[in-house]
Amino acid sequence: MRILIVGAGATGGAFGSRLIEAGRDVTFLVRPGRAAALRRDGLRFTDPSGTRTHEAAVLTAGELAAAPQTFDLVVLTVKAPALEAAIADLRPAVGEGTVVLPILNGMAHLNRLEAEFGPGVLGALAMIVATLDDGAVVQMTDWSAITIGDGAPDVARALDVPGIRLTVSDDVAGALWAKWAFIAATGILCCLFRSPVGPVIAAGGEPQVRAIIAETEAVAAAAGHPVPAESHERTATTLLDPASAMTSSLYRDLVAGLPTEAEHILGDLAARARDLGVATPLLDLTLVQVRADAFQRAAG
């Protein structure tokens, strides 16, 4: 199976490294600057077991447009602000039998991709803690997991490699909602209080954090996908730890002045909450704060 990974950042680079190590046929579709670095230095990857560098096959959008080639599997790992550009870039790689596997936060991207690529889009989500450090991909914990919808056995076989905990689910929509509820709650907590998790709890914020969790999970339940008890307990354990230094990627992008996934994660959830008649005052408050920050940055 020929695999094209759109993006070689933290998520795409980490999963791509695992696939390369398992002998899969992997190519990365990246911007020209990243392509030059990967061709020059290779794909540098660090996880708790050590550091290694892989030779990486790369394409730029210009190269793919000039010499179109189709892939069996396209794994989309960009963040939401880059989605439209990524769709335009990857079109020449999608053929009649191509499966498009989006690994993005939230769910708004699914309708957009299905409108573009039709039934070849397969629901999926990933759980990984990784970052980029001077161009190198750093996976900070051993946890690296992908969940995909059923009905694509070739894709499942391709992704079933050491270092990736693969789950094939007959309710991938429910899994997507559970993850969305968690990442939204984490984003609300960190952006509203402008803090990692631990100091908020240490400062007496447990009631407010429990209310945040209840809000995001109430939206999921109203949408017909109640968060399973084990997922709720995992969320509560993670977000109520007074010793935790955890922050959300949304918060990290916000304080760094980078484009954020605020509308994709929080804005879309708030809109669905309104449609479903679910009150989300803490979500709404956070969204106003994040939007106000964006307006100020746009104003210089």
Side-chain angles (χ1 to χ4, degrees), residues 131-202:
T131 189
L132 281 182
D133 182 6
D134 192 27
V137 177
V138 180
Q139 182 181 319
M140 292 174 282
T141 71
D142 287 326
W143 185 253
S144 170
I146 295 177
T147 299
I148 65 172
D150 57 4
D154 289 344
V155 173
R157 282 191 290 271
L159 298 178
D160 190 9
V161 300
I164 297 178
R165 295 172 174 86
L166 179 70
T167 301
V168 178
S169 173
D170 61 1
D171 183 21
V172 73
L176 281 162
W177 269 102
K179 181 186 177 183
W180 192 7
F182 168 72
I183 62 173
T186 308
I188 294 166
L189 187 164
C190 295
C191 293
L192 181 60
F193 294 108
R194 298 297 172 117
S195 172
V197 169
V200 174
I201 302 304

Side-chain angles (χ1 to χ4, degrees), residues 4 6-7 29-32 59-66 68-69 71 74 76 78 82-94 116-117:
L4 181 69
V6 183
L29 180 62
V30 292
R31 298 299 182 203
L59 283 171
T60 65
E63 292 166 348
L64 182 60
Q69 52 182 300
F71 290 79
V74 174
L76 188 57
V78 300
L83 178 61
E84 289 301 323
I87 288 173
D89 291 346
L90 67 86
R91 282 192 187 105
V94 177
E116 187 73 36
F117 300 115

Side-chain angles (χ1 to χ4, degrees), residues 206-229:
E206 179 175 336
Q208 288 76 22
V209 173
R210 289 192 181 276
I212 289 169
I213 295 170
E215 281 188 15
T216 63
E217 293 186 355
V219 182
H225 299 281
V227 173

